Amino acid sequence: MGGDFAPQVTVEGAHAALAHLSPGTTLVLFGDRSALAAADRWGVLDDPRVETVHTAEVIAMGDHPVKAFAQKSDSSIVVGFRHLCSGDIAGFASAGSTGAMMVGCMQAVGQIEGVIRPAIATALRTVRGSDVLLLDVGLNADCKPEVLAQYGTIGSIYARTTLGIERPRVALLNIGEEPEKGNLLTKATFPLMEQCGAAGAYDFVGNIEGKHLLSGEVADVVVCDGFSGNTLLKTIEGFHRILQLQGVEGTFMEGLNYERVGGTPVLGINSTVIIGHGCSSVLAVTNMIRLTERAARTDMVSQFKQAFNH
């Protein structure tokens, strides 16, 4: 029930996603059954691969996330997290209140022991047609060097298990390629990531400048603080929108479309959670569902636990 255009785009997105899901996957929709039925022009709710769980409340975008999560116990987000924590579903996705989703991630699901701070990540398409994973893109505006060094491990595991990159190259976003370049944070982070690389935690390839991010030549995973990552991501999204309005088309252009990605995974927590844009379209919801299935079918979480629980 979350998102600017729910439940219509949710139901239509579910309809489109069913054609791409594995035969053994069940899609569970949480929401008001009458509202879902009114939006269903495709017979989605009658599909044997689809289940519905009735919820009577909705956490609105303007609600205080912590209060709403505590008070609206019959909302689609809260009930969804309840099912996730009980093991009734393997992954949970929503385009609803980001704040409420993060409350669920931290309070209900919980972060993996040993992870200092979880991150949210997004995959961008490079000019080579490959993906580059950027994290953090907004969860932690301020980070310590130890957090960024851990993001290298988190990003590398996700890139390998979910994006299918066999040996991800991990880089640190900076204003220059030399180790001594950057601000206090990146200067302190570089030697920690070097140590992680030497210890075999991940393949650290050094600093990367923003101009090389989408080239696909330098790195598969790019680590940064949430402030820098979110600024960079929103700049790319804005640039894509401007070019789109000017009629610029092409494979690379389409690769920058947020709808292609579908949502941002919350990494470093004890289950699979994907957060979508509040303005998610049918295409975005479709890809959000597909990403959730792909991530839930990997051993990503167990590999996170293995990496940090020692």
Side-chain angles (χ1 to χ4, degrees):
M1 300 301 290
D4 297 344
F5 309 110
Q8 287 78 17
V9 296
T10 311
V11 176
E12 188 173 351
H15 168 69
L18 284 171
H20 302 280
L21 299 182
S22 301
T25 293
T26 298
L27 187 58
V28 184
L29 302 180
F30 298 90
D32 184 283
R33 279 206 178 98
S34 60
L36 294 175
D40 184 13
R41 303 196 304 271
W42 307 270
V44 174
L45 303 188
D46 297 323
D47 193 297
R49 295 170 295 171
V50 176
E51 295 179 5
T52 59
V53 175
H54 179 72
T55 63
E57 296 177 299
V58 177
I59 296 179
M61 293 297 186
D63 288 346
H64 188 281
V66 177
K67 290 181 179 178
F69 198 91
Q71 297 171 358
K72 294 187 175 182
S73 59
D74 198 30
S75 63
S76 54
I77 287 180
V78 174
V79 175
F81 271 109
R82 196 177 302 145
H83 277 66
L84 183 66
C85 292
S86 65
D88 294 328
I89 57 176
F92 182 54
S94 175
S97 166
T98 299
M101 288 292 288
M102 287 311 306
V103 172
C105 287
M106 301 307 293
Q107 293 188 3
V109 177
Q111 67 191 64
I112 291 170
E113 184 180 353
V115 172
I116 303 171
R117 285 189 183 181
I120 54 177
T122 192
L124 301 167
R125 186 61 53 86
T126 71
V127 293
R128 293 187 168 193
S130 58
D131 285 326
V132 59
L133 186 71
L134 181 67
L135 75 162
D136 181 39
V137 292
L139 185 55
N140 301 296
D142 295 301
C143 292
K144 293 181 178 179
E146 294 79 9
V147 173
L148 294 187
Q150 278 198 351
Y151 284 171
T153 300
I154 291 172
S156 183
I157 291 174
Y158 181 80
R160 189 171 63 250
T161 58
T162 306
L163 300 183
I165 303 172
E166 186 175 346
R167 187 175 174 81
R169 299 163 296 171
V170 180
L172 176 65
L173 184 65
N174 211 330
I175 59 172
E177 298 178 14
E178 299 84 358
E180 66 273 8
K181 286 289 184 72
N183 56 17
L184 293 175
L185 175 60
T186 56
K187 288 179 180 178
T189 300
F190 190 96
L192 295 182
M193 295 187 74
E194 262 193 329
Q195 292 172 16
C196 290
Y202 47 82
D203 184 10
F204 181 58
V205 295
N207 289 326
I208 186 174
E209 296 182 49
K211 64 182 179 181
H212 298 303
L213 177 70
L214 301 177
S215 70
E217 297 175 351
V218 182
D220 305 297
V221 175
V222 176
V223 169
C224 60
D225 62 87
F227 183 90
S228 302
N230 190 267
T231 301
L232 181 57
L233 179 61
K234 294 293 175 59
T235 301
I236 292 172
E237 289 179 354
F239 185 63
H240 173 267
R241 180 60 177 160
I242 291 170
L243 294 181
Q244 194 177 46
L245 292 173
Q246 293 183 340
V248 178
E249 298 179 353
T251 305
F252 176 65
M253 266 289 294
E254 181 56 30
L256 298 181
N257 185 359
Y258 84 90
E259 296 171 300
R260 179 190 68 84
V261 179
T264 55
V266 183
L267 305 178
I269 61 174
N270 285 298
S271 194
T272 299
V273 177
I274 309 293
I275 299 176
H277 263 286
C279 62
S280 285
S281 63
V282 172
L283 178 60
V285 171
T286 302
N287 287 322
M288 179 175 68
I289 293 171
R290 295 177 67 185
L291 175 61
T292 306
E293 184 203 30
R294 190 162 69 248
R297 283 188 174 276
T298 70
D299 60 346
M300 172 182 69
V301 173
S302 63
Q303 288 203 28
F304 284 151
K305 291 179 179 180
Q306 184 178 347
F308 293 107
N309 288 354
H310 58 72

